Amino acid sequence: MNKDIQIIVKTTLKVLEKKSWSSIGLDEIKKKSKIKQFDKKIKNKKNLLKNISLYFDFCLSKDIKSIEKSSPRDMIFETIMLRFDILQTHRKGVESLFDSLKKTPHELALLLPNLLDSMILMLKYTETSNNSIARTLKVKGVLVIYILTFMVWLKDESDSLDKTMQALDDYLGKVDQILNFI
């Protein structure tokens, strides 16, 4: 990911700590980020939103090397928790962004393709099934688990994210039960 985009995203997340997504404008981010080529890199707020999502994928790509290879379930758990650890570093900004976007579902829906791409990326890192049908089911399943866990993360105020980890473990356990039943 381009360094300028990283600076723009980090600046946006910092501004979001104090303001809502709907109240910030590109001019404010441009001024605070001090990126000369801002207008060439960010065309509109939709593009900025997409880059925020891509930034978290980029960070995950850098940090994923720290995870040891283990069972597929453990790899999925570790990969999702790593993403939550990354979100945690920008918690106030992410919370503010989500609070704003949940009031405007059409904008929140803009993130869905990026979120699906993020789930595909996370599954790629876990090196799970190459079967296209199984992969499609896993992507959708991981997306549901991720969203449910994200809702717990929003309320988990601990630095250790114990409630988030427990919820994720519980959701993955339920999936295991369903798969064993099938």
Side-chain angles (χ1 to χ4, degrees):
M1 173 174 259
N2 178 295
K3 288 192 185 291
D4 287 348
I5 296 292
Q6 291 178 55
I7 292 169
I8 292 167
V9 168
K10 288 177 187 177
T11 301
T12 303
L13 291 167
K14 195 76 174 156
V15 170
L16 283 167
E17 289 179 8
K18 294 184 170 54
K19 296 177 112 178
S20 70
W21 175 252
S22 59
S23 69
I24 63 171
L26 291 181
D27 289 339
E28 179 179 7
I29 303 301
K30 178 180 178 179
K31 182 180 176 185
K32 290 188 179 195
S33 67
K34 301 176 185 169
I35 301 296
K36 293 181 179 19
Q37 301 283 320
F38 185 94
D39 295 328
K40 290 184 180 179
K41 298 185 184 295
I42 303 294
K43 305 292 183 205
N44 52 44
K45 282 181 78 172
K46 178 181 174 181
N47 181 246
L48 180 56
L49 190 59
K50 179 180 178 179
N51 277 292
I52 291 170
S53 180
L54 291 172
Y55 170 76
F56 291 122
D57 290 342
F58 171 75
C59 292
L60 182 65
S61 298
K62 286 186 349 183
D63 294 350
I64 197 71
K65 297 168 187 104
S66 67
I67 294 178
E68 291 182 31
K69 300 287 183 212
S70 58
S71 72
R73 182 188 190 280
D74 289 345
M75 290 291 295
I76 290 170
F77 178 89
E78 293 296 330
T79 303
I80 292 174
M81 281 311 302
L82 180 58
R83 187 173 179 91
F84 281 114
D85 288 340
I86 293 164
L87 290 178
Q88 187 74 2
T89 63
H90 303 283
R91 185 177 188 91
K92 287 184 180 179
V94 172
E95 286 175 337
S96 172
L97 179 61
F98 180 73
D99 284 344
S100 292
L101 292 179
K102 71 181 181 186
K103 296 172 188 163
T104 55
H106 63 283
E107 284 187 302
L108 188 58
L110 294 174
L111 278 178
L112 190 56
N114 296 92
L115 197 52
L116 283 170
D117 287 344
S118 296
M119 299 305 113
I120 292 167
L121 181 68
M122 287 194 293
L123 284 172
K124 178 183 150 201
Y125 291 140
T126 65
E127 299 176 2
T128 54
S129 173
N130 288 330
N131 175 317
S132 63
I133 293 171
R135 187 175 48 243
T136 300
L137 290 172
K138 284 182 181 178
V139 168
K140 291 177 181 177
V142 169
L143 177 61
V144 169
I145 289 168
Y146 181 80
I147 291 170
L148 291 170
T149 308
F150 180 82
M151 301 309 286
V152 172
W153 175 79
L154 285 169
K155 296 175 184 170
D156 186 352
E157 297 180 9
S158 69
D159 290 336
S160 62
L161 298 179
D162 290 335
K163 291 177 185 173
T164 304
M165 284 191 287
Q166 184 61 54
L168 177 56
D169 191 51
D170 290 347
Y171 294 136
L172 289 171
K174 289 175 184 170
V175 168
D176 282 345
Q177 288 175 351
I178 292 167
L179 291 176
N180 287 335
F181 178 75
I182 292 172

